[in-house]
Amino acid sequence: MTDPNAIQPSELDQLPDRDPEETAEWQASLDAVTKAAGPHRAAYLMRRTLERAEGAGIALPKLLETDYVNSIPTSAEPAVPGDEALEQRITAWNRWNAAAMVTRGSKYGVGGHIATFASAAWLYETGFNHFFKGKEADGSGDQLYIQGHASPGIYARAFLDGRLNEEQLDNFRREAGGNGLPSYPHPRRLPWLWEFPTVSMGLGPLSAIYQARFNRYLANRGIKDTAGSHVWAFLGDGEMDEPESTAALALAAREELDNLTFVINCNLQRLDGPVRANFKIVQELEAQFRGAGWNVVKTLWGTAWDELFRLDTTGALVRRLRQVPDAQIQTYQTRDAAYIRQDFFGGDPALVEMAKLLSDDKILECFHLSRGGHESRKVFAAYKAAVEHKGAPTVILAQTVKGHTLGEGFASKNANHQMKKLSVDEFKNMRDLLELPIKDSDFVDGVVPYGHPGADSPEVRYLQERRAALGGPAPARRVHPVAPLPAPAEKAFASFDKGSGSQNVATTMAFVRLVKDLVRDKETGKRWVPIVPDEARTFGMESLFPSLGIYSPKGQTYEPVDRDQLMYYKEAQNGQILNEGITEAGSMADFIAASTSYATHGEAMIPFYIFYSMFGWQRTADQMWQLGDQLGRGFLVGATAGRTTLTGEGLQHADGHSPVIAATNPAALTYDPAFAYEVATIVKDGLRRMYGEAAPGEDQNVFYYLTVYNEPMPQPAKPSADGVDEGIVKGLYRFNTAESAGITPPANAPRIQLLGSGTAIHWALKAQRLLAEEWGVAADVWSATSWSELRRDALEADEALLRGEERVPFVRQALQGAEGPVLAVSDYMRQVPDQIAQWVEQDWSSLGADGFGLSDTREAARRHFGVDAESIVVAALAQLAKRGEVKAASVKEAREQYGL
């Protein structure tokens, strides 16, 4: 009878068999083992055979999962150098002070997390004592992405090291007084300590991958030797559910980033309960990372388990560990030995016999305490394996207990993420467990004391000696003095002042032309980092391919299909362009790494990231906040901007709101330039402010967001009037008057001020002519290059007034004396120009593209939204009619005449 489960010959037609008889013998052997020794033995042999093949370099698909045991057996663990007893005491002090800090702060209701660091303490301490290179040695040191919820433990260690004092610990999460500590790793709030923001969760792992990649980019381009820098990312197993956490795993493996290690704290719990209640998160992550090409090291069980594994002569224990779901392992943490004997050991005769050899104390030691992530020897072995592995990044899956050492009320409890304090009795129990010399009398009025062995104690001396040997304190952010970058040659910017004559040029193309000139600059050209998410040709950047090259650590291993063309696709190991494929999140992570290189590596780089404006802030605004927190500098360029300029693309490609989102970010300077010379002026000033000689009081740690358009239009020459450059940078200047535009309105004609930004200024200029020629109205046209910078200046003036300082907002200064009402228009929702309404003294009204976008021609879309020239004319007449300066009938007449 034919076996229905056997592979039929037809299934193997595409795999030619040179020796079917030998194949049949192998299959028969497998059948025989299965029949004689059972399927477990057959699976074991197959697994070991595949592992041997993988180790020998035979081209087979990799095993995605290994057994639920440590990757490095106890017999293969290296000895831990240094003094393990002192490291144990240092870790105990850190555990205590982290819990004390959060508990003491709980009386203010500011929150905090205790359980995460309690589970991860050894993951950090082992690294700080033996692996993490500091910033004071040669090179750039290591880059540490600390898990946000573990920050109290990092503060506790800095306190032990003498870098923080008790007052600062008491001001955890209370920063307003000026001597506090931020909740999570926030470089902008604590810039001497934190280097990388890692909350929101998921952004840390993504950024860590691109930071490791950017380190290689700098080295391959000959800018900085980064061979000594290693990137460490500390993550939670629950955090790995964030899509950004795993979005770039394949990139890290593809580019062989062996300068990168993920350490995932697998305490099996997320914020509300188990990460994978009915499954096994460690096995899932192992498969995910191994499938992506990573080296995986599992550190699951502590040394107490060695005896159990020695007793496992049948493999029953390993099989049972693979079967038990995570939520049940969590339950074992809270139950007695009798329950564990029955539930874990009771279902298999071999395990029943094993359990008879184990005392209750031994069972509880294994199931309550002994995890690989809680032992320095296990963690050291994993870290050593990671830094020595070549050719691929490494992920360490370290199993821990959330709330470890905090007592029965915390360990593995579903609610422990939300538990913000321990009672005095719980602290005393913790003290006894950690063997700390803290007396009952130290608890004054029920307040838990901080603990410190003394600045000259063996613990502190050891800690500081280890850090000195590794290159100084960690974590730490260092901004080494870097000379301002020289300004590029003036001609690169001045060439736009004369305009384009009769040639139509879109501002997107003007920006690209400017960059092409700037990257040729002998002094600063190599510092530019062009970043694009697979749309370079859309933005007219393909001309940069052959001259700058697209970065690839492999170079170009193929002959490009367009090799005979002038603008062929050129990849190079020292390529300058980062062409990331279809990933805005990855491109933003690139930008963050490049924009902070001035601090991370002491090398100022000038990134510009150009993208569909709709898919920038809307899709990755969280990373823009991360960028601001990390004090990044550079140019974000929202191309094909506006709600009506991208013809035919429709609702989800029509950006009418990115300046609104951008305006919420305090570090973002948002500009909507109308003309090529405005683009050049803004970029020139941005280079000065971020990379050159900033003016007194100017914050260099900002980034620019420029919207540029794909609508080819004649580019005018820069007006020669005084103050134009100042107005461009500050956000508003008068482009022309009715008279200077060559329009002769009637004597005593009513007058209106038209403010336009971006492409909308062209509609305003057409409306200016229609108003004069057809309605006898004089209109002056203003270019509003930045509504949000005008608002920011006005808000600062309001704040100054509260301090008793008189200061007139720039927008009021600029419009002072301008006759008539003001009508503002943009290719964005009215909320964008309305940002400045309250500071404009004249009567105010606005037009904008509110609502969803739609597919049609530009003209039809603008008529639909009521922002075209004719709509501006009707709105202007309506404003003047309210004031009695034109007849009310004129509004109705214009509406009918233009078909509105």
Side-chain angles (χ1 to χ4, degrees), residues 467-749:
R467 288 313 315 157
L470 287 165
R477 182 178 183 270
R478 295 285 186 270
V479 181
H480 299 286
V482 178
L485 295 182
E490 181 63 27
K491 66 178 181 180
F493 306 103
S495 62
F496 293 89
D497 291 352
K498 60 185 179 183
S500 65
S502 60
Q503 182 183 9
N504 289 338
V505 177
T507 50
T508 297
M509 184 55 64
F511 177 81
V512 172
R513 287 182 184 177
L514 174 63
V515 170
K516 285 173 65 177
D517 290 338
L518 294 175
V519 296
R520 295 192 188 104
D521 186 86
K522 292 181 180 180
E523 296 289 337
T524 60
K526 69 177 182 179
R527 304 254 167 210
W528 285 86
V529 183
I531 303 167
V532 60
D534 202 34
E535 288 280 4
R537 297 182 192 278
T538 299
F539 308 134
M541 292 174 60
E542 66 269 28
S543 61
L544 299 177
F545 289 170
S547 58
L548 300 184
I550 299 166
Y551 173 73
S552 169
K554 299 287 187 183
Q556 193 155 36
T557 61
Y558 60 92
E559 189 175 28
V561 67
D562 55 358
R563 61 195 176 278
D564 297 327
Q565 298 179 17
L566 180 63
M567 292 183 287
Y568 68 98
Y569 196 83
K570 178 187 175 183
E571 296 188 82
Q573 191 174 27
N574 63 348
Q576 196 163 346
I577 301 170
L578 292 172
N579 192 343
E580 290 303 359
I582 305 175
T583 168
E584 287 84 4
S587 299
M588 267 306 301
D590 264 337
F591 187 89
I592 292 170
S595 70
T596 54
S597 183
Y598 72 92
T600 309
H601 293 293
E603 296 286 347
M605 305 299 288
I606 311 170
F608 79 86
Y609 165 33
I610 187 168
F611 50 88
Y612 264 107
S613 64
M614 184 69 172
F615 303 128
W617 285 86
Q618 173 169 297
R619 186 166 288 188
T620 57
D622 199 6
Q623 286 178 288
M624 276 75 162
W625 277 92
Q626 180 189 16
L627 167 64
D629 193 348
Q630 201 166 319
L631 292 87
R633 306 169 183 173
F635 297 95
L636 298 176
V637 184
T640 58
R643 184 146 278 166
T644 70
T645 62
L646 193 56
T647 56
E649 290 284 354
L651 185 150
Q652 282 192 260
H653 282 66
D655 172 23
H657 53 275
S658 68
V660 177
I661 306 174
T664 65
N665 191 308
L669 277 63
T670 303
Y671 286 90
D672 187 25
F675 305 123
Y677 67 79
E678 293 178 352
V679 172
T681 301
I682 293 164
V683 171
K684 178 182 177 181
D685 192 69
L687 290 172
R688 174 201 62 78
R689 176 170 178 173
M690 295 185 291
Y691 300 97
E693 298 285 357
E698 270 188 326
D699 183 4
Q700 283 191 285
N701 298 316
V702 296
F703 60 92
Y704 283 64
Y705 175 52
L706 279 72
T707 53
V708 292
Y709 297 82
N710 69 327
E711 186 172 8
M713 301 291 286
Q715 295 298 326
K718 181 191 286 188
S720 58
D722 292 339
V724 170
D725 282 359
E726 179 189 26
I728 292 172
V729 172
K730 290 191 172 182
L732 182 68
Y733 69 98
R734 182 154 48 194
F735 176 72
N736 69 16
T737 63
E739 292 77 12
S740 66
I743 302 168
T744 307
N748 300 318

Side-chain angles (χ1 to χ4, degrees), residues 158-179:
F159 170 66
L160 206 64
D161 194 11
R163 294 199 290 162
L164 291 174
N165 57 41
E166 286 194 15
E167 181 186 1
Q168 288 171 300
L169 296 192
D170 266 348
N171 285 329
F172 173 60
R173 291 194 169 201
R174 295 192 301 136
E175 300 177 74
N179 196 31

Side-chain angles (χ1 to χ4, degrees), residues 775 873-875 877-878 881 886-900:
W775 305 99
V873 169
V874 173
L877 293 174
V886 300
K887 295 178 180 179
S890 298
V891 181
K892 182 175 183 295
E893 183 183 347
R895 190 182 298 118
E896 292 173 351
Q897 178 176 326
Y898 299 134
L900 298 180

Side-chain angles (χ1 to χ4, degrees), residues 23-52:
T23 302
E25 290 174 358
W26 277 73
Q27 293 171 336
S29 297
L30 179 63
D31 293 340
V33 170
T34 304
K35 184 176 181 180
H40 296 309
R41 178 62 180 170
Y44 175 86
L45 291 175
M46 288 298 298
R47 186 180 293 274
R48 294 296 173 260
T49 302
L50 288 170
E51 288 174 351
R52 173 62 66 88

Side-chain angles (χ1 to χ4, degrees), residues 248-270:
L249 298 186
L251 166 71
R254 185 168 65 243
E255 299 202 1
E256 300 177 356
L257 297 180
D258 50 26
N259 61 340
L260 170 67
T261 298
F262 275 18
V263 181
I264 303 182
N265 178 15
C266 298
N267 57 33
L268 312 185
Q269 289 184 248
R270 54 189 178 199

